[in-house]
Amino acid sequence: MNQDFQTEFMALAIGLAKQGLGKTKPNPSVGAVVIKNGMVLGKGVHMKAGQEHAEVLALNEAGPDAKGATLYVTLEPCAHHGKTPPCVDLIISSGIKRVVVASLDPNTQVNGKGLDVLRKNGIEVVEGVLQLQAEELNTGFFSRMTKNLPYIRSKIASSIDGRTSLANGDSKWITSEAARNDVQQWRARSCAILTGVGTINQDNPLLNVRNLAENDQPFRVIADTNLSIDLKSQILKQKNIMLAYSNDPNSKAKHLESKGVRLVNIASKDNKVDLLLLMKRLATFEFNEVLVESGPTLNGQLLELGLIDELVIYQAPIIMGGNANPLFHNPIFESMEHRITLKQKDIRQFGDDLRLIMQVNKS
Amino acid sequence: MNQDFQTEFMALAIGLAKQGLGKTKPNPSVGAVVIKNGMVLGKGVHMKAGQEHAEVLALNEAGPDAKGATLYVTLEPCAHHGKTPPCVDLIISSGIKRVVVASLDPNTQVNGKGLDVLRKNGIEVVEGVLQLQAEELNTGFFSRMTKNLPYIRSKIASSIDGRTSLANGDSKWITSEAARNDVQQWRARSCAILTGVGTINQDNPLLNVRNLAENDQPFRVIADTNLSIDLKSQILKQKNIMLAYSNDPNSKAKHLESKGVRLVNIASKDNKVDLLLLMKRLATFEFNEVLVESGPTLNGQLLELGLIDELVIYQAPIIMGGNANPLFHNPIFESMEHRITLKQKDIRQFGDDLRLIMQVNKS
């Protein structure tokens, strides 16, 4: 088979996978197509945890014609019994001749085993077609499976002079409506939105996804070492709210839990919630992607700990001037050699603002 | 004549004008073409003050064929005797039928008068074709003629978190070689490069244009209120160095002048060289464009005074962290309503860095 067609059909499967983005948590987003003689016989998208996998939907659509066809799937088919039966069984019984996958499943229960079973059953297997593109879709799932940490993306709105709020806290509005609308997609695909109690008490935000049912909202996780949250904060009236705290000096925990807030006790480090422990805990909740929307203190601590994987910076063509707040209070460098380097992934205009997506290079 | 052709021929003239950019100081850069029946009969570029104007060169190249032709010129032809005779005389005597100009000459000696003379002599005149593009070429000349101030462009290299040097002053190198090479063009087209004595004493820079004779270098103007410059600074061994000072408490002026440095005494304001007076003085020296290459103190003062017309920011994909120096120490705002807004003129990649050209909106 011509390599170009392989890429085209996998691109089609990736396009399908994108339809499930943000809806399959904690599962990865997966797409699949069944192709015979250059014709698309079946398409499938995994749309919700517990529902059919993409391969199953594509094979069902193809029906008996799947015999002798090629299956393109963005992630290695499963060989284990989870919420649904193993996909490899159906692939074998459907008479598929060839399976092309973008990436192996990082889940140690599956990694390579699915493909082994297929090969043992005489099915030709091709790996690694558009692998990077497919992994990018499920960067949080891969991070959790390989590092026991969510993929941590920090979104920051800044002026051209690197300021995120005035000294008095005023930051409404740095960026354009177009930029603020774009933030919705990052919230929607995240399992959790992390902020600090300072941001809650200062700005009283909701940090929710518009037009999404309360139960489907990502968890709003608030780092609040001493449970100093203002009990009148409007976010406490929402569902899916989690407070990560170390101490409860004013005995607020019981009251907060009675209001439906989920409390997670995390050991402190340097008198603050230990952020590495917090992130590990969020991974145990099957949180794939965490979006950080906070001020320079929490962002600086996460950056210093090497916990930020990606920055999404909306940069407005304005100057906010001297003594306004920066993006990060930490780390502090003594030499340019120690600077943190970034890899540009995407640059795009939203209204008058620039959106810069950058990967943080880990040292 | 079709409007599209008019635009094309004027674009050709503007392209020619660009060849003279930075070489015609204190004159503007001007290009001209002579066109008959869609054919280019002559092209001209003004290349150096005192030498022929672009119109003259284009008409000379066209020779007797200029009779009945159209002259396209990026700036209104002069009607006065300067270093060269009035261009309108030659245009009339050459038999040109039609003159198309991009912009009027902002020089009050000429403004509109050149076109009047042409019209009185029965020549058809069209104004304003690609006017903005042509004025952009000579933004410094226009500023000086209309506001008695140079066009002030500040070039700043910054990290993505809006830092320009570490707390200890270290800033080598924020940006890539490609970005640093691009800075050369801004220096070359400027009549002066302005910096503060702090930058000189801290970094000991030359701020010169590579591969350019010493006598042709732009003036390096150093704002040095109390003549506190380190006498061993390597910049003092260069030609075309100017110190703008208010006081001479250590009697250094005579010594500096004996080394060939030009001293300019400027009244102080708030115990610092009055920057508005300095800029007005620089305009009297026929300086069209001034490039600011300084730290956050001088940049902040200029910004606060509304003196910066344009920012050229080279933004490197790095994080320099907490307590590093910002782009501007001033102004300081109490409300987001007072923020300074910018108009994006150009965004481009140089190596791994972004170059953002932005016009500062004056309130």
Side-chain angles (χ1 to χ4, degrees):
Chain A
M1 161 84 59
N2 184 310
Q3 175 78 25
D4 289 339
F5 283 115
Q6 242 175 224
T7 308
E8 274 183 26
F9 290 132
M10 188 58 81
L12 180 60
I14 289 175
L16 290 167
K18 283 182 180 164
Q19 296 178 15
L21 208 59
K23 298 170 188 155
T24 61
K25 309 163 191 172
N27 284 358
S29 303
V30 183
V33 286
V34 176
I35 306 290
K36 192 154 72 176
N37 301 324
M39 299 281 286
V40 180
L41 301 182
K43 299 195 273 189
V45 189
H46 179 52
M47 287 303 284
K48 199 178 163 88
Q51 294 185 359
E52 290 89 347
H53 286 186
E55 307 89 306
V56 173
L57 292 165
L59 288 169
N60 286 349
E61 188 176 311
D65 290 343
K67 197 171 159 66
T70 298
L71 171 71
Y72 288 82
V73 56
T74 56
L75 192 69
E76 177 182 8
C78 64
H80 66 287
H81 281 273
K83 291 177 185 163
T84 57
C87 290
V88 292
D89 294 357
L90 181 64
I91 294 170
I92 294 161
S93 67
S94 67
I96 282 284
K97 199 176 70 175
R98 207 160 146 273
V99 172
V100 182
V101 301
S103 67
L104 293 185
D105 193 313
N107 185 329
T108 48
Q109 287 180 83
V110 182
N111 191 277
K113 288 181 196 163
L115 298 188
D116 284 347
V117 173
L118 295 176
R119 285 194 192 93
K120 274 179 200 149
N121 283 273
I123 294 173
E124 186 191 341
V125 172
V126 179
E127 298 174 39
V129 176
L130 294 184
Q131 183 174 346
L132 289 177
Q133 288 85 338
E135 288 181 5
E136 182 68 24
L137 280 182
N138 293 304
T139 183
F141 181 75
F142 276 76
S143 177
R144 180 162 67 85
M145 290 297 155
T146 59
K147 301 191 291 181
N148 293 314
L149 283 170
Y151 187 80
I152 303 168
R153 177 183 289 122
S154 178
K155 167 248 136 183
I156 305 178
S158 111
S159 63
I160 213 79
D161 58 334
R163 308 297 193 164
T164 56
S165 64
L166 296 184
N168 63 16
D170 192 0
S171 65
K172 279 194 193 277
W173 296 103
I174 295 175
T175 50
S176 63
E177 201 182 342
R180 297 200 304 275
N181 286 341
D182 184 60
V183 171
Q184 292 287 313
Q185 65 154 313
W186 303 114
R187 288 187 183 170
R189 63 180 279 174
S190 301
C191 295
I193 296 165
L194 174 67
T195 194
V197 71
T199 296
I200 298 296
N201 288 351
Q202 160 95 32
D203 299 340
N204 197 20
L206 284 175
L207 299 173
N208 60 348
V209 180
R210 287 178 216 142
N211 308 320
L212 192 67
E214 281 204 39
N215 285 326
D216 294 335
Q217 293 284 339
F219 261 91
R220 268 62 51 85
V221 179
I222 302 160
D224 184 5
T225 307
N226 296 308
L227 285 182
S228 54
I229 191 166
D230 182 341
L231 294 177
K232 282 177 251 152
S233 306
Q234 59 171 344
I235 204 165
L236 292 176
K237 297 183 190 110
Q238 305 255 306
K239 291 195 177 165
N240 293 353
I241 304 299
M242 189 181 286
L243 284 171
Y245 75 109
S246 300
N247 316 302
D248 183 15
N250 300 310
S251 305
K252 285 169 153 180
K254 282 265 174 286
H255 174 67
L256 285 161
E257 281 184 322
S258 75
K259 289 175 93 169
V261 176
R262 184 155 167 194
L263 267 78
V264 181
N265 193 262
I266 304 282
S268 68
K269 192 180 172 187
D270 302 331
N271 298 316
K272 280 171 185 161
V273 163
D274 185 322
L275 294 167
L276 176 59
L277 289 183
L278 170 59
M279 289 301 179
K280 284 184 174 168
R281 184 77 70 88
L282 296 185
T284 67
F285 299 152
E286 299 191 309
F287 286 179
N288 294 328
E289 295 184 15
V290 171
L291 181 68
V292 181
E293 297 198 48
S294 83
T297 303
L298 181 55
N299 263 313
Q301 288 162 357
L302 290 167
L303 188 67
E304 185 152 34
L305 290 166
L307 285 171
I308 298 181
D309 294 298
E310 186 176 293
L311 288 168
V312 178
I313 298 182
Y314 296 88
Q315 200 174 58
I318 61 169
I319 297 175
M320 287 166 63
N323 99 343
N325 291 309
L327 283 80
F328 307 104
H329 283 317
N330 287 306
I332 287 169
F333 299 120
E334 301 295 329
S335 160
M336 283 292 286
E337 284 169 36
H338 302 138
R339 72 193 186 280
I340 293 169
T341 62
L342 308 168
K343 187 170 162 245
Q344 281 174 356
K345 290 173 74 173
D346 191 83
I347 301 176
R348 207 167 292 199
Q349 190 104 22
F350 284 83
D352 285 339
D353 307 319
L354 275 188
R355 187 190 74 184
L356 309 165
I357 304 184
M358 286 164 298
Q359 193 177 301
V360 180
N361 295 325
K362 305 289 176 79
S363 53
Chain B
M1 160 85 59
N2 185 309
Q3 175 79 25
D4 289 338
F5 282 115
Q6 241 175 224
T7 308
E8 276 183 25
F9 291 131
M10 188 58 81
L12 180 59
I14 288 175
L16 290 167
K18 283 182 182 166
Q19 294 178 18
L21 208 59
K23 298 169 188 155
T24 61
K25 310 164 192 169
N27 285 356
S29 303
V30 183
V33 287
V34 176
I35 306 289
K36 194 156 68 178
N37 301 325
M39 301 279 288
V40 180
L41 301 182
K43 298 194 273 189
V45 189
H46 179 52
M47 286 305 282
K48 199 177 163 86
Q51 294 184 1
E52 291 89 347
H53 287 185
E55 307 90 305
V56 175
L57 293 166
L59 288 169
N60 287 349
E61 190 177 308
D65 290 345
K67 198 173 156 67
T70 298
L71 172 71
Y72 289 83
V73 56
T74 56
L75 193 68
E76 177 182 9
C78 63
H80 67 288
H81 280 272
K83 290 176 186 163
T84 56
C87 290
V88 291
D89 294 357
L90 181 65
I91 294 170
I92 294 161
S93 67
S94 66
I96 282 285
K97 198 175 72 176
R98 207 159 148 273
V99 172
V100 182
V101 302
S103 67
L104 293 185
D105 193 314
N107 186 330
T108 48
Q109 288 180 78
V110 183
N111 190 279
K113 290 183 194 161
L115 298 188
D116 284 346
V117 174
L118 295 175
R119 286 196 191 93
K120 274 179 200 148
N121 282 273
I123 295 173
E124 185 191 343
V125 172
V126 179
E127 299 174 39
V129 176
L130 294 184
Q131 182 174 347
L132 288 177
Q133 289 84 339
E135 288 182 1
E136 181 68 25
L137 280 181
N138 293 305
T139 182
F141 181 75
F142 276 77
S143 177
R144 181 161 66 84
M145 291 296 156
T146 58
K147 301 191 289 180
N148 293 312
L149 283 171
Y151 187 80
I152 304 169
R153 177 183 286 125
S154 178
K155 168 248 137 186
I156 305 178
S158 110
S159 63
I160 213 79
D161 57 335
R163 308 297 193 164
T164 56
S165 62
L166 296 185
N168 63 18
D170 193 1
S171 66
K172 278 195 193 266
W173 296 105
I174 294 174
T175 48
S176 63
E177 202 183 340
R180 297 201 304 275
N181 286 340
D182 184 60
V183 171
Q184 291 287 311
Q185 64 154 315
W186 303 114
R187 289 186 183 170
R189 64 180 280 175
S190 301
C191 295
I193 296 165
L194 173 69
T195 193
V197 70
T199 296
I200 298 295
N201 288 351
Q202 160 95 33
D203 299 342
N204 197 19
L206 283 174
L207 299 173
N208 59 349
V209 180
R210 287 178 217 143
N211 308 320
L212 192 65
E214 280 203 37
N215 285 327
D216 295 335
Q217 292 286 339
F219 261 90
R220 268 60 55 81
V221 179
I222 303 160
D224 184 4
T225 307
N226 296 307
L227 285 183
S228 55
I229 191 167
D230 182 342
L231 295 177
K232 282 178 252 153
S233 306
Q234 59 171 344
I235 204 165
L236 293 177
K237 296 184 191 108
Q238 305 253 308
K239 291 193 177 164
N240 294 353
I241 304 301
M242 189 181 287
L243 285 171
Y245 74 108
S246 301
N247 316 303
D248 183 15
N250 300 307
S251 303
K252 283 169 154 179
K254 283 266 174 282
H255 173 68
L256 284 161
E257 282 184 319
S258 75
K259 289 175 93 168
V261 176
R262 184 157 167 190
L263 268 78
V264 181
N265 193 262
I266 305 280
S268 68
K269 191 179 171 187
D270 302 331
N271 298 315
K272 279 173 185 160
V273 162
D274 184 321
L275 294 168
L276 176 59
L277 290 184
L278 170 59
M279 289 301 179
K280 284 184 174 168
R281 185 76 72 86
L282 295 184
T284 68
F285 300 151
E286 299 192 308
F287 286 179
N288 293 329
E289 295 185 13
V290 171
L291 182 68
V292 181
E293 298 199 46
S294 83
T297 304
L298 181 55
N299 263 314
Q301 289 162 356
L302 291 167
L303 188 67
E304 185 152 35
L305 290 166
L307 286 171
I308 298 181
D309 294 298
E310 185 177 295
L311 289 167
V312 178
I313 298 182
Y314 296 89
Q315 199 174 60
I318 61 170
I319 296 174
M320 287 166 64
N323 100 342
N325 291 309
L327 284 80
F328 307 103
H329 283 318
N330 287 306
I332 287 170
F333 299 121
E334 301 295 330
S335 161
M336 283 293 286
E337 283 169 36
H338 303 137
R339 72 194 186 282
I340 293 169
T341 61
L342 308 168
K343 187 171 163 243
Q344 280 174 359
K345 292 173 73 173
D346 190 84
I347 300 175
R348 209 168 290 202
Q349 190 104 22
F350 284 84
D352 285 341
D353 306 320
L354 275 189
R355 186 190 73 185
L356 309 165
I357 304 184
M358 286 164 299
Q359 194 178 299
V360 180
N361 295 326
K362 305 288 174 80
S363 53

